[in-house]
Amino acid sequence: MGITILTAIAAYAATAIDYLVLLIILFSQTIKKGQLKHIVIGQYLGTTIIISLSLLAALGTIFIPHQWIVGLLGLLPIYLGVKIWINGGEEAEESDILSLLSSGRFKQLFLTVTFIVLASSADDFAVYIPYFTTLHMNELPVVIIVFFIMVGVLCYVSYRLANLRLISEKIKKYERWLVPVVFIGLGIYIMAENGVFHVLLPF
């Protein structure tokens, strides 16, 4: 159970760094207390949608005959980690998201935040889908509960950091190094958990 909780925290943390930067920006722009509630609701709603879609996609892999083939999906977060490491992230995308936020297409702020979460979810699917395939059915409720707790922790930490300009700047500065390490580590874990290395090493 302890290992399940730790790996769930690692899986969420692997995709939370980008959200941390975005939430710091959002919380730093809030003026009314009601806006804070909308940001938290939007983050939870977007995360719920991502988890649901990832679970449905992961269930589609249960007909693959060999588990190590499923483990090859661990190459996805490894690829993302290497790509981010080489390119240093895509700061332009954040500017596009902020422009969309100020366009006023959504009447409710939580809908805008939900859209931001979904628009930034490519990395989430690449990590969650292969990760969910490594879990047993009795582990899924634990992982989902941990994910929702981590969303609350993420929102709280982001809110606190939004008022600390120096810390938020440091986090953004080192994001390009932290994210790749977590992604690559998670990808290796997924492949090891599914016995990929045991199959490939003889070759």
Side-chain angles (χ1 to χ4, degrees):
M1 184 65 69
I3 295 178
T4 301
I5 293 175
L6 290 176
T7 55
I9 293 174
Y12 185 82
T15 60
I17 299 298
D18 292 338
Y19 293 136
L20 180 64
V21 175
L22 290 172
L23 286 173
I24 288 174
I25 294 173
L26 292 173
F27 281 126
S28 66
Q29 295 177 346
T30 57
I31 300 176
K32 301 178 181 180
K33 292 184 178 180
Q35 293 177 322
L36 298 177
K37 179 178 66 176
H38 277 259
I39 293 175
V40 174
I41 292 174
Q43 184 69 35
Y44 267 104
L45 181 58
T47 302
T48 300
I49 295 173
I50 293 171
I51 292 175
S52 300
L53 294 177
S54 297
L55 280 172
L56 291 175
L59 290 175
T61 65
I62 60 176
F63 299 105
I64 295 179
H66 300 290
Q67 186 180 7
W68 69 270
I69 297 178
V70 178
L72 289 175
L73 292 174
L75 292 171
L76 291 174
I78 293 177
Y79 165 75
L80 290 171
V82 173
K83 180 180 179 181
I84 295 173
W85 201 311
I86 294 176
N87 296 335
E90 299 179 359
E91 297 179 356
E93 290 185 359
E94 293 181 4
S95 299
D96 293 337
I97 291 175
L98 290 176
S99 297
L100 179 62
L101 177 63
S102 61
S103 66
R105 295 183 179 181
F106 302 104
K107 296 182 179 179
Q108 298 293 330
L109 179 59
F110 80 88
L111 292 176
T112 304
V113 176
T114 300
F115 179 83
I116 291 175
V117 173
L118 295 177
S120 307
S121 64
D123 296 347
D124 301 52
F125 291 120
V127 173
Y128 292 169
I129 294 173
Y131 171 62
F132 286 153
T133 63
T134 68
L135 301 175
H136 298 290
M137 293 302 297
N138 60 337
E139 293 177 316
L140 285 174
V142 176
V143 170
I144 293 174
I145 291 173
V146 171
F147 275 19
F148 286 143
I149 292 175
M150 290 298 294
V151 172
V153 172
L154 174 66
C155 290
Y156 175 77
V157 172
S158 302
Y159 174 74
R160 299 295 295 181
L161 291 178
N163 297 317
L164 298 174
R165 182 176 180 181
L166 179 61
I167 295 180
S168 62
E169 289 177 350
K170 289 294 183 180
I171 291 177
K172 188 173 182 179
K173 178 180 179 181
Y174 294 107
E175 176 187 2
R176 62 170 295 184
W177 305 108
L178 181 60
V179 175
V181 169
V182 174
F183 271 46
I184 293 172
L186 184 62
I188 293 174
Y189 163 76
I190 292 171
M191 296 179 70
E193 186 70 12
N194 286 280
V196 174
F197 299 122
H198 291 290
V199 175
L200 297 181
L201 283 178
F203 295 98

